[in-house]
Amino acid sequence: MVQAAGAPIGVFDSGIGGLSVLRALAAELPREDFVYFADTGHAPYGERGDPYVVERSHAILDALVREHGIKALVVACNTATAAAIHLLREAYPDLPLVGVEPALKPAAVLTCTGRVAVFATRGTLSSTKFATLHASLKGQADFVLQACDGLATAIERCDDAQVRSLCDTYVRAAGDFGTGPGQIDTLVLGCTHYPFAQEEIRAHAGAGVRLVETGEPVARQARRLLEAAGLLKPPPAKGKITLLTTGSQAQLASAAQRWLP
Ligand code: DGL
């Protein structure tokens, strides 16, 4: 399989969450074309189990290669990265692939109290990939893991009342937030949907708590991989974004209008 520098970059998520990664990608790589695939018809991934997420990830990547000739893929979903990225790499060994994982390493550096909350899907938190990451940081910070069932779905549906109520529930369940000794001062947004609920999370956790997401480091990693492969789109060029979904095209377009610059 030969990739062309003028081809688009594929980006996918179970729904609109990956738009939080796409906005960082478009800022870092403004000349590139992106094909964004929101698998809303099969969401949420986080509460469905690995075989389902693996099957969907393969189907989406196959379609992006076949129908759009993508030159690289960004898996803009923590749950799909944890369940499937190693299998996608095996299936397409020549395709540059970037995944996302909860930003535990940066959070361990940023925390002053040594206590960090990690909000993610049940699928991400129960994965082997996450267990390995967590174990590698043993002793560097105390991580409080909080599975946020239903939160990605509420964000997807723009159900603001449910988003507010779930943020309240999960912030309370995680423990005591603040900047004092023993308090949680840093919160990792370990699902790409959650940056779209950050105001609600902040309203419950307190203004002093630092929220950490992964869009920008992922975008920088994508640039590095494309550069190394000689696949950056040459100037002059202005990138365009194509939106695809297994759900409602109108809803995805309105989410993109709301969340992309
Ligand atoms: N946005 C996805 C993630 O980063 C998953 C949301 C879901 O479908 O459960 O994990």
Side-chain angles (χ1 to χ4, degrees):
M1 174 185 176
V2 180
Q3 287 93 29
I9 300 168
V11 182
F12 87 87
D13 178 47
S14 63
I16 63 168
L19 295 175
S20 67
V21 178
L22 181 60
R23 68 184 172 190
L25 285 163
E28 177 74 25
L29 298 162
R31 283 201 299 270
E32 301 293 337
D33 296 331
F34 295 94
V35 179
Y36 182 84
F37 191 104
D39 199 16
T40 314
H42 301 92
Y45 284 177
E47 292 142 49
R48 282 236 157 90
D50 281 4
Y52 186 87
V53 178
V54 167
E55 196 219 299
R56 290 306 307 152
S57 302
H58 275 297
I60 293 165
L61 176 51
D62 291 347
L64 288 172
V65 168
R66 201 177 49 241
E67 288 159 30
H68 298 274
I70 57 167
K71 64 179 178 184
L73 178 76
V74 178
V75 182
C77 173
N78 293 264
T79 312
T81 300
I85 199 158
H86 56 295
L87 302 169
L88 300 180
R89 285 206 168 100
E90 267 172 40
Y92 290 90
D94 301 328
L95 186 74
L97 264 167
V98 185
V100 294
E101 67 178 12
L104 269 63
K105 287 178 205 163
V109 174
L110 289 169
T111 177
C112 295
T113 62
R115 299 204 75 217
V116 173
V118 183
F119 281 16
T121 67
R122 190 162 290 281
T124 297
L125 294 179
S126 63
S127 69
T128 312
K129 199 166 189 300
F130 182 82
T132 308
L133 173 68
H134 189 196
S136 75
L137 294 165
K138 201 164 185 262
Q140 294 187 36
D142 175 21
F143 294 100
V144 179
L145 311 183
Q146 182 61 52
C148 300
D149 291 351
L151 184 53
T153 302
I155 293 167
E156 196 73 35
R157 293 187 181 147
C158 298
D159 184 344
D160 294 343
Q162 179 72 346
V163 169
R164 210 169 302 127
S165 146
L166 289 173
C167 288
D168 181 28
T169 303
Y170 294 134
V171 165
R172 279 176 203 275
D176 188 15
F177 284 83
T179 52
Q183 291 183 311
I184 300 169
D185 68 348
T186 306
L187 191 158
V188 174
L189 301 170
C191 166
T192 54
H193 280 74
Y194 302 168
F196 299 139
Q198 60 178 307
E199 278 171 31
E200 295 302 341
I201 292 173
R202 208 181 280 288
H204 294 287
V209 172
R210 195 192 305 262
L211 304 184
V212 190
E213 59 170 299
T214 36
E216 288 173 13
V218 166
R220 287 195 295 272
Q221 172 67 359
R223 165 184 282 285
R224 277 193 292 271
L225 279 189
L226 290 169
E227 227 158 28
L231 285 173
L232 283 174
K233 199 168 161 195
K238 191 173 165 344
K240 69 171 196 300
I241 295 175
T242 304
L243 300 171
L244 306 172
T245 181
T246 48
S248 150
Q249 190 68 36
Q251 268 170 25
L252 176 60
S254 103
Q257 204 149 28
R258 182 170 176 194
W259 298 117
L260 294 179

